[in-house]
Amino acid sequence: MSKQDVLVLGGLRAETLEGLKQQFTTHLVKDAKELSALLARIGNGIRGAARGTHIGVDRAMMEQLPKLEIVANFGVGYDGIDTKAAAERGIIVTNTPDVLTEEVADTTLGLLLMTVRDLPAGERYLRAGKWPSGDFPLSKGSMRDRKVGMIGLGRIGLAIARRLDAMGVPVSYHTRNPRKDVPYNYYPDLAAMAEAVDTLIIIVPGTAETKGMVNAKILKALGPTGIVINVGRGVVIDEPALVEALKSHTIQAAGLDVFPHEPQVSPELLALDNTVLLPHLGSGSVFTRNAMGQLMIDNLVSWFRDGKPLTPVVETPWPRKA
Ligand code: NAP
Ligand code: 8YV
């Protein structure tokens, strides 16, 4: 049987690219600037796309791919794909849930502890040879007296909450729908939760609804011992409001793995010493990135071999809605 032509959008690890090549005839686009010319040449023959990082899949691109049936996303978050346009065209979008959940929860706990206990500054202090001249200052923060409010309690949020349970840290949560299967306090109103806790952990998708939901009002409600951890998407925080709250010590600190204009990071955030900043590495181990790549490939294989996707996103359900 001849191999299907699959468009490969953006950065993917060599192992994942190799896995794709074994199954499909691949057409790799590393930079969005190359896209238009390539699509004009081969767009008519493409039925599947594998989406790596940093190249969006919008309505205009779909129009250049009239036979496109499936977009398999590398990552559980798929904010770079216009799922409304996909659904209208009957294009299935898949993502990579579950296989990264525990890794991202581990990273979140690491980032939380780094931020609360000021650990990166302690490491810098030692490496700068300052220890012999005196002990590193005690941290203002401790996990012993913290109350965490989760914004998002889905697959990853729950894995984070389980880790906090083990540490004896009380957990509350804000989502649109309360869960029946958890013992945590539910807050339908985010501002009310921010008043009741001192630590927010953001693990919601980046959508029109979540954009800017952590704003000046929420940060003020958190108070001067407040700590914000963002592992969801950069757009969920109103960044100028966060910078202002950190500068004025309206809150204590922030630990961020995601940013609104990645891989660019605001110079203002970089200049502050009450931030801990990571380059979007929540799922970034070889083990987990390989598992994500494999699930992306498996979705394409299952679609072209068996006529069904393995992990379609909610906006493009399978079987399709009548
Ligand atoms: P999930 O299982 O779908 O959970 C999403 C959670 O967000 C649910 O609890 C959902 O509850 C809540 N939510 C969605 N929209 C909301 C809104 N408007 N207001 C309040 N809550 C809302 O997804 P997941 O697998 O846990 O992944 C979550 C996100 O983490 C991904 O979409 C991605 O953006 C991010 N992520 C980041 C990294 C990283 O490397 N930093 C890695 C993986 C994932 P309701 O539906 O009840 O509102
Ligand atoms: C990935 C992520 O690194 O899965 C997600 O939503 O944010 C990360 O696991 C990213 O999607 C790959 O670009």
Side-chain angles (χ1 to χ4, degrees):
M1 217 172 85
S2 70
K3 286 181 174 177
Q4 290 291 340
D5 289 86
V6 163
L7 186 65
V8 182
L9 297 163
L12 284 170
R13 302 187 65 246
E15 285 84 342
T16 304
L17 268 180
E18 197 43 50
L20 278 167
K21 278 183 191 158
Q22 282 171 16
Q23 303 285 347
F24 306 104
T25 302
T26 54
H27 303 274
L28 176 61
V29 187
K30 282 198 183 141
D31 191 318
K33 285 182 224 138
E34 305 159 17
L35 197 61
S36 242
L38 180 79
L39 294 193
R41 199 156 44 79
I42 60 155
N44 263 331
I46 298 290
R47 288 172 57 202
R51 176 179 179 255
T53 50
H54 299 309
I55 296 186
V57 180
D58 59 11
R59 189 178 288 274
M61 188 193 292
M62 292 177 207
E63 277 163 11
Q64 282 191 283
L65 295 163
K67 298 203 179 83
L68 187 64
E69 296 168 19
I70 180 167
V71 179
N73 187 54
F74 178 82
V76 70
Y78 47 94
D79 38 300
I81 302 176
D82 184 341
T83 49
K84 185 165 181 283
E88 282 167 22
R89 293 175 159 262
I91 297 168
I92 297 291
V93 176
T94 65
N95 64 347
T96 60
D98 300 320
V99 292
L100 47 53
T101 292
E102 301 300 330
E103 199 76 74
V104 181
D106 289 347
T107 309
T108 308
L109 259 291
L111 182 55
L112 176 67
L113 291 173
M114 285 164 82
T115 311
V116 171
R117 297 293 319 285
D118 213 7
L119 300 180
E123 216 240 1
R124 288 194 294 272
Y125 185 87
L126 180 152
R127 285 180 187 276
K130 294 183 182 170
W131 193 9
S133 324
D135 286 342
F136 184 69
L138 303 182
S139 67
K140 271 192 274 175
S142 165
M143 289 310 297
R144 299 287 68 78
D145 57 1
R146 291 226 151 237
K147 296 187 195 116
V148 168
M150 304 287 310
I151 306 183
L153 197 72
R155 289 169 292 246
I156 302 171
L158 203 52
I160 297 167
R162 279 202 334 264
R163 284 158 172 75
L164 294 169
D165 283 347
M167 292 166 71
V169 174
V171 173
S172 304
Y173 72 106
H174 165 75
T175 52
R176 291 165 303 183
N177 312 292
R179 291 185 68 130
K180 292 196 175 67
D181 56 346
V182 296
Y184 312 123
N185 276 341
Y186 174 62
Y187 284 89
D189 179 37
L190 176 55
M193 184 170 82
E195 286 284 352
V197 303
D198 49 31
T199 308
L200 289 178
I201 298 183
I202 302 168
I203 185 68
V204 282
T207 64
E209 237 184 305
T210 61
K211 188 170 181 205
M213 76 195 284
V214 176
N215 56 24
K217 180 182 152 196
I218 301 299
L219 295 168
K220 189 159 188 292
L222 209 53
T225 59
I227 285 184
V228 175
I229 303 296
N230 191 6
V231 279
R233 282 293 181 262
V235 294
V236 179
I237 302 184
D238 173 346
E239 195 175 76
L242 177 66
V243 168
E244 182 47 41
L246 288 164
K247 274 187 183 166
S248 60
H249 301 282
T250 302
I251 66 166
Q252 187 173 310
L256 310 172
D257 184 47
V258 287
F259 303 87
H261 307 292
E262 292 174 15
Q264 305 307 323
V265 176
S266 145
E268 289 187 287
L269 285 175
L270 289 169
L272 288 166
D273 61 9
N274 51 353
T275 55
V276 176
L277 309 172
L278 299 179
H280 198 151
L281 47 67
S283 65
S285 69
V286 170
F287 180 94
T288 293
R289 290 284 169 87
N290 279 347
M292 291 161 64
Q294 193 56 53
L295 181 52
M296 179 188 71
I297 295 169
D298 290 347
N299 266 293
L300 289 165
V301 169
S302 175
W303 178 257
F304 288 116
R305 189 189 57 202
D306 306 330
K308 59 175 191 223
L310 298 178
T311 49
V313 304
V314 286
E315 294 87 345
T316 64
W318 187 263
R320 289 192 177 93
K321 281 190 181 146

